[in-house]
Amino acid sequence: MAQATASATIGDSEFDRDTRVTRAEPGLYHADLSAGWTIINAVNGGYLLAVAGRALADALPHCDPFTITAHYLTASRPGPAVIRTETVRTGRTLSTGQASLVQYDDSGAEVERLRVLATYGDLDALADDVRTTALPPSLPAVDQCFGPQDAPDVSPVPGSNAITDRLWLKMDPGTLGWALGAPSGKGEMRGWFGLADGRDADPLSLLLAVDALPPTAFEIGLKGWVPTVELTVHVRCRPAPGPLRVAITTRNLAGGFLEEDAEIWDSADRLVAQSRQLARANLG
Amino acid sequence: MAQATASATIGDSEFDRDTRVTRAEPGLYHADLSAGWTIINAVNGGYLLAVAGRALADALPHCDPFTITAHYLTASRPGPAVIRTETVRTGRTLSTGQASLVQYDDSGAEVERLRVLATYGDLDALADDVRTTALPPSLPAVDQCFGPQDAPDVSPVPGSNAITDRLWLKMDPGTLGWALGAPSGKGEMRGWFGLADGRDADPLSLLLAVDALPPTAFEIGLKGWVPTVELTVHVRCRPAPGPLRVAITTRNLAGGFLEEDAEIWDSADRLVAQSRQLARANLG
């Protein structure tokens, strides 16, 4: 089954247009947060990280986010945003930067949405060695997986979810029990991932991909939103063209918080990204 | 077997004295990095994070690091240091702050050592619910584990290692093959952990504990130092008194970088901390 019928390219796609940043002066960028990447009426955290990550890619002498952390401070809204970056350190192979994404409230007061700290490098400059013991997730074939387009009744995300039109998401039915009222109790979520317009993955779109599946909390039997406190992504390899496999695991739900560990594998069976987020659980 | 013969307490111990920070003005702290926490002549990254974390605990309205990330910029040296903190956001249950730890070179120029971004809360205010699927690591009894004091020939860390005198570390012999010239090839390191003077663990000392075992790279067969690029720690629960169990895993060594995932369990079988770091591997 084809990943998508359209064939947008890296640099010319919905994702690229909606994460565009314009440099107003050194270190200062303007962006326009799109309503197209909202999920349960909230702007997706991975999309926000990609916007900030694109500003840092421009501000720093290196282009790829090797490790990037965001702390989510207040809820972003679609519309104009400003990203201020600071170059913390530049080195030969790595550089470190910081970014603040802010918006303005109705009175014109500045409100910070997220604070980002990251170290960038050049993935193409890395050695070819791989000594991984990690194995790709076991996923059924794409045509045995399900997305929101396959059946309205098993839409992976309830509520307003414009983002589902932008994504090509085929979830492992073994992690969709919650959508049928029978969550497995296991904190696992797995699926095939791509962009609906056929754009292939790059390091910036991986920042979106780690946070784009339904929350593992749904399979644990919790309902409602699971707001991210902090998200850290390690991009380990430039992804090959083709669909990605995303596997997310939660092992510890305690005290009203849980971690979500995501890993992303590309079509060449390379582990291209690892992430962890701390999120609040809705126990009500 | 007793954890330690001495009986220092939280607030009155080597760790507390050596991570002390003095507020010079709001948000500005002085510290004196101790030579007692060096390992292969480098100041331990977890110790540095604890120093910065203590400054943030003072600067923010909440006391416990729920999630804290450090990017290591340049090599710290024992001696005076200054920590500048910024309060990014304060909320009712969580607050977010940032810290820079700087030192001064021979010409008096400021050199930043690490940049930290963190969200703090109050662990004692969390609900008691635990729905974890994670299991404690399987570790042999303490008297079947080995530390640097047990046999000089199997010292877990070669070179100058003042820190070993401050730690009570009993390594699982199943992860000490490298010390006998026969690394297992598996990226695993496990051991019992405490402070040599008998001080019990608290959230700040957990920041040290996640980074205090020998590098997993040694068991993969690599030699030499494994410098941390970035370290993120989630403290999930206030640790109970008694020894900790620390298990560290590396699944992906690729392109000259590897991740180290640590988890820490307390004597009450609670998962008290999870961490991940991105480090450079020495493939030479």
Side-chain angles (χ1 to χ4, degrees), chain B residues 10 62 76 87 111 119 133 161 173 177 179 192 212 216 226 237 260 269 273:
Chain B
I10 294 174
H62 297 94
S76 298
T87 299
V111 183
T119 293
T133 57
N161 47 17
W192 297 90
T216 52
V226 187
C237 178
E260 276 200 11
D269 271 355

Side-chain angles (χ1 to χ4, degrees), chain A residues 3-14:
Chain A
Q3 178 184 347
T5 49
S7 57
T9 57
I10 294 173
D12 182 13
S13 72
E14 290 178 324

Side-chain angles (χ1 to χ4, degrees), chain B:
Chain B
M1 179 179 283
Q3 177 183 347
T5 48
S7 58
T9 57
I10 294 174
D12 182 12
S13 72
E14 290 178 324
F15 176 78
D16 292 292
R17 284 187 286 278
D18 290 346
T19 57
R20 179 178 296 144
V21 296
T22 307
R23 180 164 48 180
E25 56 186 78
L28 181 70
Y29 298 84
H30 291 285
D32 192 14
L33 304 183
S34 163
W37 304 87
T38 51
I39 188 163
I40 317 186
N41 299 317
V43 182
N44 174 266
Y47 164 73
L48 292 169
L49 185 56
V51 172
R54 195 179 285 286
L56 281 168
D58 185 83
L60 295 173
H62 297 94
C63 57
D64 298 317
F66 277 27
T67 167
I68 183 166
T69 290
H71 287 245
Y72 295 87
L73 308 169
T74 57
S76 298
R77 299 182 300 194
V82 169
I83 302 117
R84 283 196 204 92
T85 66
E86 176 197 346
T87 299
V88 175
R89 176 181 178 268
T90 59
R92 189 174 57 84
T93 59
L94 296 175
S95 53
T96 299
Q98 176 178 300
S100 291
L101 189 150
V102 305
Q103 293 189 300
Y104 296 90
D105 68 14
D106 293 339
S107 71
E110 182 177 308
V111 183
E112 187 167 356
R113 300 307 192 195
L114 61 159
R115 179 70 64 104
V116 175
L117 184 57
T119 293
Y120 277 54
D122 179 359
L123 288 170
D124 295 330
L126 298 185
D128 285 335
D129 66 290
V130 179
R131 300 191 218 181
T132 189
T133 57
L135 294 173
S138 177
L139 270 181
V142 166
D143 61 6
Q144 295 176 327
C145 291
F146 297 93
Q149 287 80 14
D150 295 314
D153 290 346
V154 291
S155 166
V157 179
S160 162
N161 47 17
I163 195 173
T164 56
D165 293 334
R166 306 293 179 101
L167 303 181
W168 175 85
L169 201 56
K170 294 287 182 180
M171 298 298 300
D172 181 340
T175 64
L176 280 181
W178 61 273
L180 304 170
S184 68
K186 291 188 284 191
E188 298 178 3
M189 203 61 69
R190 288 183 299 274
W192 297 90
F193 177 93
L195 293 167
D197 62 6
R199 178 198 191 271
D200 278 317
D202 71 350
L204 285 179
S205 75
L206 294 178
L207 305 184
L208 168 73
V210 297
D211 192 42
L213 269 58
T216 52
F218 289 180
E219 272 296 270
I220 301 175
L222 305 184
K223 295 180 194 300
W225 191 231
V226 187
T228 304
V229 175
E230 174 264 325
L231 168 62
T232 296
V233 186
H234 295 178
V235 176
R236 303 293 301 273
C237 178
R238 190 174 303 284
L244 302 170
R245 286 157 291 173
V246 183
I248 308 183
T249 307
T250 293
R251 298 170 69 235
N252 190 45
L253 164 61
F257 289 84
L258 73 167
E259 93 285 358
E260 276 200 11
D261 285 355
E263 53 180 54
I264 305 186
W265 294 76
D266 71 4
S267 61
D269 271 355
R270 286 288 298 268
L271 179 51
V272 294
Q274 293 171 296
S275 75
R276 174 174 289 162
Q277 66 172 263
L278 183 70
R280 280 180 192 265
N282 183 346
L283 302 171

